[in-house]
Amino acid sequence: MGRWQPGSRERLEAAALALFSERGYDSTTVAEIAARAGLNERTFYRYFTDKREVLFDGGHFLEGFLTRSVAESPASAGPLDAIIAALEQAATEVFADRLAIARQRQTVIDANPELQERERSKMASIATALARTLRERGVGDPAASLAAETGLTVFRISFALWVAHENTRSLTELIKETMTDLRTITAGP
Amino acid sequence: MGRWQPGSRERLEAAALALFSERGYDSTTVAEIAARAGLNERTFYRYFTDKREVLFDGGHFLEGFLTRSVAESPASAGPLDAIIAALEQAATEVFADRLAIARQRQTVIDANPELQERERSKMASIATALARTLRERGVGDPAASLAAETGLTVFRISFALWVAHENTRSLTELIKETMTDLRTITAGP
DNA sequence: TACAGTGATGTCATAACCTGACATCATCGG
DNA sequence: CCGATGATGTCAGGTTATGACATCACTGTA
């Protein structure tokens, strides 16, 4: 073993989530997070652009997963259907096994407006990426943006229901239901 | 004349927009904004919770305008229709005369991720408020959230088209069109 | 007029966030 | 064994943001 343990990034993420859960986001300093990870404050900022970002690293993976999924969807599918299908795939392949951590994370985020802001931002970034993917598949504008944003809205609402403490249903199930609600609401008179 | 000129808040907002336009958001310090407004840095923070907020004060007014409008909408209207009607009313009564300032503001925001983040956050806050208003009018959940979030998505996309440099069409017109696109996209197979 | 109360602003000190510049040290290929 | 590379540490410093307290103009009232 040398000077550095491998997995600095993961250690920082774990340390941050633990500390944020224990004593809250505001009361935790970056120096403390780094110290618990056996690292220096300066090093923290080499991995994450700011203090919030340490909670949102997974977003990059999700974005890649979803864009790949949308890119591979059958050409016959409508844009919103392609988005929803990708989200359902993520629901089973990415999220299904991670309810406990998702809840812990969400508890931290729900307690802090700055973090909610960043979460929205991440969702928006994913929506932008998915809209681009749709455009590359020939979907026009603003249909592409609209489908991507709307799909993410459905996901966000479903996700909130999923992590709610009373809930026992699966994320996929909740996405399907929310999607049905959306169709009801948008159906013209 | 006494020690203070009236309208400190407005002066701070104007100074901030001007400085952000001139030399960018990052390169402008809070002390500079305050100085141009003839005030102290500490005083800036008495009016705005943080540096970004100085650009988003109008959001409070918009939120009030929209919730009032939705609260007064005819009971027969569907939830999404009520939201869209309120947004169209804001389009004519609030935004129509302010295209120039809206564009200047948007240029500043588009140049800085932190500001985009805050803008999203403001939209989300408005959506939350509108969802609450819908619930008070008997709309269930998640239909209320869904209608509010979807309506704001339509608005956001329409607004972006409106402030785009090439555009010559009215915001109301663009909202109607985007709404038509949404109905097309969500229409089942 | 005098003067106490109130509220807006200023001053000061300081913690935490974030960054640039440079130093240190382990690893790896030769 | 050595030099290149890359991850980490050290240090200095600017900016954001906040608490505590002081100052000054305006108000009402005796």
Side-chain angles (χ1 to χ4, degrees):
Chain A
M1 268 303 108
R3 182 185 186 182
W4 325 298
Q5 306 292 327
S8 297
R9 175 177 228 105
E10 290 71 21
R11 265 171 17 244
L12 285 167
E13 288 171 359
L17 182 57
L19 285 168
F20 293 166
S21 291
E22 285 171 23
R23 63 176 97 155
Y25 175 81
D26 279 332
S27 313
T28 304
T29 99
V30 172
E32 288 168 337
I33 298 168
R36 179 179 291 210
L39 291 166
N40 190 278
E41 173 176 353
R42 189 67 186 84
T43 301
F44 178 97
Y45 286 106
R46 292 207 173 87
Y47 285 98
F48 306 102
T49 61
D50 59 42
K51 184 181 170 187
R52 301 176 231 172
E53 198 64 12
V54 70
L55 271 181
F56 296 93
D57 199 41
H60 295 125
F61 171 77
L62 182 59
E63 182 169 316
F65 183 96
L66 291 172
T67 49
R68 255 176 279 122
S69 178
V70 168
E72 292 164 3
S73 68
S76 60
L80 184 53
D81 301 309
I83 300 286
I84 294 295
L87 290 167
E88 286 175 355
Q89 192 185 347
T92 58
E93 298 179 20
V94 178
F95 291 104
D97 296 337
R98 305 191 186 177
L99 179 54
I101 290 191
R103 279 191 173 142
Q104 184 183 11
R105 226 182 71 98
Q106 204 60 38
T107 302
V108 171
I109 293 172
D110 287 346
N112 192 288
E114 286 184 55
L115 295 175
Q116 294 161 37
E117 200 166 74
R118 180 57 53 87
E119 178 158 73
R120 288 273 176 180
S121 181
K122 287 292 168 186
M123 289 279 188
S125 148
I126 292 176
T128 301
L130 293 183
R132 190 181 334 114
T133 306
L134 286 177
R135 270 181 227 110
E136 286 163 3
R137 291 168 56 77
V139 178
D141 246 335
S145 311
L146 202 48
E149 298 262 2
T150 305
L152 266 288
T153 297
V154 168
F155 182 76
R156 195 172 343 101
I157 290 176
S158 308
F159 193 86
L161 293 171
W162 184 55
V163 297
H165 291 302
E166 326 86 45
N167 175 59
T168 56
R169 327 219 324 260
S170 77
L171 180 52
T172 310
E173 205 177 337
L174 291 163
I175 291 174
K176 285 190 193 302
E177 273 201 24
T178 306
M179 194 56 208
T180 303
D181 289 341
L182 175 66
R183 290 201 205 280
T184 305
I185 284 174
T186 55
Chain B
M1 270 299 109
R3 180 185 187 183
W4 324 298
Q5 306 290 328
S8 297
R9 174 178 228 102
E10 291 71 20
R11 267 176 9 249
L12 286 167
E13 288 172 358
L17 182 57
L19 285 168
F20 293 165
S21 291
E22 285 170 23
R23 64 177 95 157
Y25 175 81
D26 279 333
S27 313
T28 304
T29 86
V30 172
E32 288 169 337
I33 298 169
R36 179 178 293 210
L39 291 166
N40 189 278
E41 175 176 350
R42 190 67 186 84
T43 301
F44 178 96
Y45 286 106
R46 293 207 173 87
Y47 285 98
F48 306 103
T49 61
D50 59 41
K51 183 181 169 187
R52 301 174 230 171
E53 197 65 13
V54 70
L55 272 180
F56 296 93
D57 199 41
H60 295 126
F61 171 77
L62 182 59
E63 181 168 318
F65 183 95
L66 291 172
T67 48
R68 256 176 278 122
S69 178
V70 168
E72 292 164 3
S73 68
S76 60
L80 184 53
D81 301 309
I83 301 285
I84 295 295
L87 290 167
E88 286 176 355
Q89 191 185 347
T92 58
E93 297 179 21
V94 178
F95 291 103
D97 297 336
R98 306 190 185 176
L99 179 54
I101 290 190
R103 280 192 172 140
Q104 183 183 13
R105 226 182 71 99
Q106 204 61 37
T107 301
V108 171
I109 293 172
D110 287 347
N112 191 288
E114 286 183 54
L115 296 175
Q116 295 161 34
E117 200 166 73
R118 179 58 52 87
E119 179 159 72
R120 288 272 176 182
S121 180
K122 287 291 169 187
M123 289 280 188
S125 147
I126 292 176
T128 301
L130 293 182
R132 190 182 332 115
T133 306
L134 286 177
R135 272 183 225 107
E136 286 164 3
R137 292 169 55 78
V139 178
D141 247 335
S145 311
L146 202 49
E149 299 261 2
T150 305
L152 265 289
T153 297
V154 168
F155 182 76
R156 197 173 342 103
I157 289 176
S158 308
F159 193 87
L161 294 171
W162 184 54
V163 297
H165 291 302
E166 325 86 47
N167 175 59
T168 57
R169 307 174 34 221
S170 77
L171 180 52
T172 309
E173 205 178 336
L174 291 162
I175 291 174
K176 284 190 193 302
E177 273 201 24
T178 306
M179 195 56 207
T180 303
D181 289 340
L182 175 66
R183 290 200 205 281
T184 305
I185 285 174
T186 55

